[in-house]
Amino acid sequence: MRTLIYNIGLLATPKGNCATAEQGSVHFLKDAYILCENGVISEIGTGAPPAIVGSCIDAQGKLVTPGLVDAHTHLVFGGWREHELALKRKGVPYLEILAQGGGILSTVKKTRSATEEELAAKAEKVLSQMLALGVTTCEAKSGYGLDAETELKQLRVNRTLNERQPIELVSTYLGAHAVPVEYKENREGYLTLMEELLPHIAEEGLAEFCDVFCETGVFTAEEATRILKAAQAVGLQAKMHADEINPIGGTEAAGALGAVSVEHLIAATNDGIGAMAKAGTVAVLLPATSFYLNKPYARARDMIAAGVPVAVATDFNPGSCPSLNLQFAMNLACWNYGLSPEEVLTAVTLNAAAAVRRGEKIGTLEVGKQADVVLWDAENLEYLFYRFGENLVKTVVKQGNIVYTKG
Ligand code: IZC
Ligand code: ZN
């Protein structure tokens, strides 16, 4: 099966498996074509494209980039939390709402009572919107069950959705998202429950990653280390939510564990940044959450200067970021982190792929990589950051096949 994408006015792509110190080094090719064979890029060239038997996609002289990777989402959940809007507007902090039994815990109730198919149908709709915005791979965390049955239900939804829609899902177990109400007086009991569930999740292949919300009043750095070590022992890779609100040592602990990524990092310290640089950990930054929680923006420039690869994701979830729009996060990253369009492109393609350990397969347009491609209704990269608030995607190609085209 061959596909040719021709008449590409400008092809823009990072190169390699993880950009680290080369966050802004995007390669541009004018008047280009991409040839795909069996879903993989087999040739990239300029000038007249080869004559082929197969399908041909006309890029209409416009911009083409790798498919976008959303490396941090809480995709599967029941209900929404619009009832918290009034509290938020009054200035009640995120952690205060959680401490009162709302926030994550209110989504847990709705997720426990939803059927597996209800959750799948709801998340599938979200994925179809993400696809239209150029996302071809998406990480999805559990963490709204906080009991064995519902956590497994969420993870099974990830597996089901992987099979029935075009976006590739990367599954993460986030049992350590909050201590459930029934274990409020027995943290140890809940930590043990997670330790017992991990081997089962690994055996069933229900998750590749394990994540912990390390935050004041949620899980300490010591507890996070304990859970992530148990996860690594059964073959899951470590991720951590750290420094979202308060820096309590999570990032340093994640670096010491060789975590693949640390995510949020709004309140990251110099020590935390140093620990990530030393361990080669990817910083997954979530600017739409800063926007929605009215918080400062993470120190992306300092992280890049320290040699930390920076990825940007949505954090789509019903509480701190009810937006699934990765293009909006890209715009915020440009204006509020002070990243260049090239640096942001790397953050949502190559480095986001590295954050889900797929840097060798996706995230760039190079021979041998999977043919996940976005054709934009834009003539250059700057235009994506200039025309904010509008979906600028024209066509999305996944493994060499058109999976979305703007009507
Ligand atoms: O549902 O509030 N920060 N987890 C950690 C979240 C935000 C998601 C939520
Ligand atoms: Zn999150």
Side-chain angles (χ1 to χ4, degrees):
M1 181 46 199
R2 293 180 127 196
T3 308
L4 175 73
I5 305 172
Y6 68 101
N7 197 13
I8 299 173
L10 185 66
L11 183 153
T13 182
K15 283 191 178 176
N17 299 336
C18 186
T20 315
E22 292 162 3
Q23 181 92 26
S25 104
V26 164
H27 299 260
F28 293 99
L29 215 52
K30 282 187 184 153
D31 188 19
Y33 64 84
I34 301 172
L35 186 60
C36 320
E37 260 172 78
N38 301 321
V40 174
I41 298 173
S42 57
E43 189 182 322
I44 294 179
T46 55
I52 66 145
V53 180
S55 56
C56 294
I57 305 169
D58 182 356
Q60 298 176 348
K62 298 205 171 175
L63 175 72
V64 164
T65 70
L68 307 183
V69 178
D70 193 340
H72 181 135
T73 81
H74 302 251
L75 174 72
V76 179
F77 55 85
W80 290 94
R81 307 221 288 264
E82 71 273 26
H83 57 275
E84 287 172 6
L85 192 81
L87 291 175
K88 281 197 63 206
R89 293 191 68 245
K90 271 192 229 150
V92 182
Y94 174 85
L95 288 177
E96 179 60 34
I97 296 174
L98 177 60
Q100 287 171 8
I104 294 170
L105 295 172
S106 102
T107 301
V108 166
K109 281 192 205 131
K110 295 269 170 59
T111 308
R112 285 180 178 177
S113 65
T115 67
E116 199 163 320
E117 182 47 35
E118 282 166 352
L119 294 174
K122 181 177 177 189
E124 190 171 13
K125 211 166 126 193
V126 170
L127 287 169
S128 74
Q129 292 174 278
M130 287 180 167
L131 186 71
L133 287 158
V135 172
T136 49
T137 303
C138 175
E139 188 256 11
K141 302 175 196 293
S142 69
Y144 294 122
L146 311 184
D147 60 22
E149 185 192 333
T150 316
E151 287 294 318
L152 294 175
K153 180 168 77 178
Q154 279 193 274
L155 296 174
R156 280 197 305 270
V157 169
N158 289 347
R159 182 155 70 191
T160 306
L161 290 178
N162 230 340
E163 285 156 14
R164 74 178 203 206
Q165 56 76 51
I167 296 181
E168 181 181 353
L169 289 182
V170 179
S171 187
T172 299
Y173 170 61
L174 176 60
H177 196 192
V179 176
V181 205
E182 61 276 19
Y183 282 93
K184 206 173 171 194
E185 307 304 326
N186 178 17
R187 298 179 73 78
E188 181 54 35
Y190 188 56
L191 290 163
T192 309
L193 184 146
M194 287 189 279
E195 284 170 332
E196 286 170 1
L197 195 55
L198 277 164
H200 179 69
I201 290 169
E203 254 165 54
E204 298 281 316
L206 280 169
E208 272 175 65
F209 290 94
C210 179
D211 193 345
V212 176
F213 185 18
C214 181
E215 185 57 69
T216 309
V218 191
F219 292 97
T220 65
E222 291 71 31
E223 289 167 338
T225 298
R226 173 173 158 188
I227 294 303
L228 292 177
K229 276 193 171 159
Q232 287 174 327
V234 295
L236 300 186
Q237 301 286 325
K239 286 182 171 287
M240 199 190 285
H241 278 66
D243 302 340
E244 176 175 1
I245 294 152
N246 299 309
I248 59 163
T251 305
E252 291 85 334
L257 285 164
V260 174
S261 62
V262 177
E263 325 207 332
H264 279 294
L265 295 161
I266 289 174
T269 62
N270 290 342
D271 285 351
I273 294 173
M276 284 191 290
K278 195 167 156 220
T281 301
V282 180
V284 178
L285 306 185
L286 309 166
T289 304
S290 289
F291 171 83
Y292 195 66
L293 292 182
N294 234 331
K295 292 274 177 195
Y297 286 82
R299 296 161 55 197
R301 287 250 65 90
D302 292 343
M303 293 175 199
I304 292 171
V308 176
V310 166
V312 166
T314 58
D315 192 22
F316 172 64
N317 76 74
S320 61
C321 187
S323 166
L324 54 79
N325 191 331
L326 187 56
Q327 288 179 45
F328 176 58
M330 290 166 68
N331 280 290
L332 291 173
C334 176
W335 297 110
N336 296 294
Y337 294 151
L339 300 187
S340 67
E342 288 82 359
E343 288 171 325
V344 178
L345 182 68
T346 301
V348 292
T349 55
L350 176 56
N351 285 357
V356 293
R357 290 185 88 230
R358 277 164 177 65
E360 282 166 21
K361 199 173 132 200
I362 55 171
T364 72
L365 298 175
E366 290 176 283
V367 171
K369 288 251 181 140
Q370 193 165 290
D372 292 0
V373 187
V374 178
L375 284 67
W376 298 87
D377 190 10
E379 286 177 11
N380 50 62
L381 190 58
E382 285 78 8
Y383 194 81
L384 305 188
F385 299 88
Y386 161 72
R387 290 288 312 278
F388 74 95
E390 209 171 309
N391 182 11
L392 296 167
V393 165
K394 172 90 181 51
T395 298
V396 180
V397 172
K398 179 77 182 172
Q399 292 186 280
N401 296 312
I402 293 184
V403 284
Y404 169 81
T405 201
K406 198 176 262 169

